[in-house]
Amino acid sequence: MKNLIRAVLPALLLAPLSLFCSANAYAQSAVMQQQQQMIQQQQQGFQNQNSSFNQQQLRNTQTQIQRDNQAQQIHQLNENMRLNADQQWQNNNQQRMLNNQNRQQRQQRQQQLQLNQMDQQKKVNNQRMLNQQNTVDQNRKNNGGQ
């Protein structure tokens, strides 16, 4: 029986130790799994933060591009308006010059018409004077040279 006790006793003594080691290993495994999950969660959080940061950077870049495009469009519109205003000013200036030319031509035609009328009146007056002189001369002849 001593032999049996000697043979079984170490196994009986080691069984709780084996169970303790097994439980300890299981606990360590559970702790490691928990730590691994925490690391994965942190990594996921970092990835989410990085993704959010990248998305915000992308939105900021898109917003800046839109603002730059709008600023360029506004600048182009202003330039077009300035060019149109310059063209309108030139057109108005040309129209003013044409109006002045037309007014000068009308004035010249009116002056020429007045000169023609004065010449015509002068001819009529000269003809009257000549007719009167002829009448006077004819009357003198008729009256015997008086």
Side-chain angles (χ1 to χ4, degrees), residues 63-122:
T63 300
Q64 189 59 45
I65 289 171
Q66 288 174 343
R67 287 179 181 160
D68 290 347
N69 287 340
Q70 288 173 345
Q72 186 177 6
Q73 289 173 349
I74 289 170
H75 175 74
Q76 188 61 48
L77 285 172
N78 286 338
E79 185 64 17
N80 289 346
M81 287 173 55
R82 186 188 64 77
L83 291 174
N84 287 341
D86 286 348
Q87 185 62 45
Q88 187 63 41
W89 183 86
Q90 289 176 359
N91 290 344
N92 290 345
N93 202 32
Q94 287 176 346
Q95 188 62 47
R96 279 190 294 274
M97 289 172 48
L98 287 174
N99 290 344
N100 286 339
Q101 286 177 348
N102 288 338
R103 185 170 42 256
Q104 288 173 349
Q105 289 174 352
R106 275 194 314 272
Q107 288 173 347
Q108 288 174 349
R109 282 193 302 270
Q110 285 178 337
Q111 288 173 350
Q112 188 61 45
L113 181 62
Q114 288 173 346
L115 288 174
N116 289 345
Q117 288 174 345
M118 287 171 53
D119 282 345
Q120 188 65 29
Q121 189 61 41
K122 187 177 179 181

Side-chain angles (χ1 to χ4, degrees), residues 21 39 55 91 131:
C21 288
I39 291 171
Q55 288 175 356
N91 290 344
N131 288 344

Side-chain angles (χ1 to χ4, degrees), residues 50-66:
N50 193 30
S51 176
S52 294
F53 176 78
N54 288 340
Q55 288 175 356
Q56 185 61 44
Q57 286 297 100
L58 179 61
R59 284 192 295 272
N60 290 347
T61 301
Q62 290 171 336
T63 300
Q64 189 59 45
I65 289 171
Q66 288 174 343

